[in-house]
Amino acid sequence: MLIAVLKEAKQDETRVALTPDAVKTLTAKGFAVAVESCAGLLSGASDADYEAAGATISPDRAQLVASADVFPVVNALPTADQERLKSGSVMIGFLRPLDDPASLAEAVKRGVTLLSMELVPRISRAQGMDALSSMATVAGYKAVIVAANHLHKLFPLLMTAAGTIPPAKVLVLGAGVAGLQAIATARRLGAVVEAYDVRAAAGEQVKSLGAKFIEVDLGGLQTEDKGGYAKELSPEALELGRQAIAKAAKNSDVVITTAQVPGRRAPLLIRAAAVEEMRAGSIIVDLAASAGGNCEVTRPGETFVYHGVTIFGPSNIVAEVPVHASMLYSRNLVNFLQLILKNGALNIDRADEIIAGSCVAFGGEIVNERVAAAAGQDVVRKS
Ligand code: NAD
């Protein structure tokens, strides 16, 4: 039973799936781990660090791909690698099965078991495997740092002999994991923070971080689903939110947007006209850029100036913090691997709620209904 850690193939990726510490946890349990040469370099881990953790290092990617049984990854292996995978091997990571099912087709065909970290159910037992929350935490922090770095103003209130500098005003849209971390980070830097979310429960959390919650009367509309996630709103309710946001944005130096509705395009919260009303020199960081953007003029993966407002649409902001992003992610992966590696062997119990939720493909078939629909196939359930 061999676990292989490969160098990430995606161009803007700096994270590694397993850090040396994570490898050490697995080798201490008796698992063999092989690491492709230089796999951890961009996240600060050398081949020597992996060797010290008990891994073997190999420069031969093709041979690793063809021989290993388990592939913890950040992004799905490219098709050229998938063509060499053994049937029954396992790939686990951010596989984007709903966004890009076609990119997994070769692995499905070859009978590779695909486990998606995006689809891990958010139940208490799976909290240690919640990689979405780990990455959202890093993204929320980094978004504020990016904004503070580019804003031509200071964040905190400063009283000096030369006069008083007022604090920067930060508006955070969406107060889930990323939004709450953005609020906390902006507060630590001394900014005055306002936030908006459609979930009423978010209001208390926002206030507990010392920020003001923007209340919008949606006439008692049910905004949360059973799982506590935001629902897609009616056009009228969305418009009420947009009006309140436009008013607050006009007086803000920085707007960080994080609003998402699982499985849908990100809600449109800032129209171009609202950006045009913002002060020249202010900044928008749109963390929902790759899900369609919360701001109408965001360009995914680009930074540009629109009517004097600098708009950031990062496509992989966590890759700018590879050390800690990799550390958190690899801990999530190790926790998941412990579910499927028992007594030195692979043991995929598809009746387990976490595995059932995250399993995308098994035995040559797509086994997740939503993924099958996204791939345009009928789901095939094998017991
Ligand atoms: P997310 O990334 O899907 O969305 C981010 C935020 O955007 C959410 O707070 C959502 O309410 C908000 N949003 C959606 N539409 C909006 C709109 N039109 N206007 C303003 N805001 C809008 O969510 P997330 O950060 O992954 O988590 C959301 C919820 O799930 C939170 O309650 C969080 O505490 C909870 N959660 C639970 C667990 C768990 O293990 N039980 C783990 C992580 C998160």
Side-chain angles (χ1 to χ4, degrees):
M1 236 287 310
L2 180 65
I3 302 168
V5 181
L6 301 179
K7 203 161 179 288
E8 288 294 316
K10 195 165 160 257
Q11 213 195 354
D12 68 349
E13 194 53 78
T14 58
R15 291 168 291 174
V16 64
L18 295 184
T19 60
D21 271 352
V23 167
K24 201 168 169 183
T25 306
L26 295 168
T27 54
K29 288 182 186 296
F31 293 107
V33 182
V35 176
E36 184 183 2
S37 310
C38 301
L41 273 191
L42 296 178
S43 56
S46 67
D47 289 352
D49 294 331
Y50 281 108
E51 268 179 322
T56 54
I57 306 296
S58 168
D60 191 344
R61 181 181 180 99
Q63 194 267 334
L64 279 180
V65 170
S67 60
D69 304 284
V70 180
F71 296 88
V73 296
V74 179
N75 305 287
L77 297 178
T79 303
D81 287 332
Q82 290 178 26
E83 284 167 358
R84 296 172 166 270
L85 291 170
K86 286 196 298 198
S87 170
S89 59
V90 176
M91 174 160 56
I92 171 170
F94 286 126
L95 306 185
R96 306 184 66 235
L98 294 168
D99 306 309
D100 191 9
S103 68
L104 302 170
E106 186 61 30
V108 174
K109 198 172 89 187
R110 296 183 68 80
V112 176
T113 301
L114 298 179
L115 298 166
S116 156
M117 292 302 277
E118 296 96 325
L119 299 182
V120 169
R122 277 171 151 176
I123 56 173
S124 313
R125 188 164 63 89
Q127 269 182 359
M129 308 167 202
D130 186 353
L132 284 182
S133 285
S134 297
M135 296 305 104
T137 301
V138 174
Y141 166 87
K142 189 65 182 179
V144 174
I145 301 302
V146 165
N149 193 28
H150 286 85
L151 187 69
H152 300 164
K153 288 183 175 183
L154 301 176
F155 261 41
L157 166 81
L158 288 183
M159 289 182 180
T160 79
T164 298
I165 293 177
K169 289 187 174 166
V170 174
L171 171 64
V172 176
L173 304 180
V177 181
L180 291 174
Q181 187 56 237
I183 294 169
T185 305
R187 292 284 300 137
R188 280 198 293 270
L189 287 176
V192 169
V193 184
E194 287 184 292
Y196 172 66
D197 197 296
V198 284
R199 291 179 302 109
E204 285 313 308
Q205 292 169 313
V206 165
K207 288 181 209 157
S208 74
L209 291 169
K212 182 183 159 200
F213 188 63
I214 298 174
E215 308 273 355
V216 176
D217 184 2
L218 298 178
L221 187 79
Q222 179 58 259
T223 56
E224 277 178 43
D225 66 14
K226 292 195 296 286
Y229 285 98
K231 281 182 165 175
E232 194 167 35
L233 299 186
S234 63
E236 297 74 27
L238 261 178
E239 188 51 38
L240 286 173
R242 277 196 290 261
Q243 284 167 11
I245 289 164
K247 215 164 121 198
K250 235 173 131 146
N251 294 314
S252 301
D253 298 299
V254 169
V255 182
I256 310 278
T257 78
T258 74
Q260 305 246 18
V261 176
R264 299 263 186 276
R265 185 207 181 281
L268 178 54
L269 300 181
I270 310 176
R271 289 216 185 272
V275 182
E276 289 160 21
E277 291 280 299
M278 287 174 67
R279 285 197 288 252
S282 39
I283 288 183
I284 296 175
V285 182
D286 191 343
L287 287 185
S290 45
N294 290 142
C295 171
E296 192 173 18
V297 292
T298 295
R299 297 180 193 155
E302 283 186 40
T303 300
F304 71 106
V305 179
Y306 179 81
H307 281 255
V309 178
T310 305
I311 301 178
F312 291 82
S315 54
N316 192 9
I317 197 168
V318 291
E320 293 176 36
V321 200
V323 172
H324 284 142
S326 301
M327 190 190 93
L328 294 176
Y329 181 59
S330 64
R331 285 185 186 164
N332 295 140
L333 275 180
V334 167
N335 290 336
F336 197 119
L337 288 172
Q338 287 175 359
L339 256 190
I340 60 167
L341 299 175
K342 300 255 167 74
N343 304 322
L346 256 177
N347 179 358
I348 299 187
D349 173 8
R350 288 183 53 216
D352 181 291
E353 189 181 359
I354 298 172
I355 295 171
S358 56
C359 190
V360 168
F362 189 88
E365 307 288 352
I366 295 179
V367 294
N368 176 295
E369 280 176 38
R370 285 163 66 208
V371 177
Q377 293 183 19
D378 287 333
V379 67
V380 177
R381 289 184 181 283
K382 285 192 169 178
S383 54

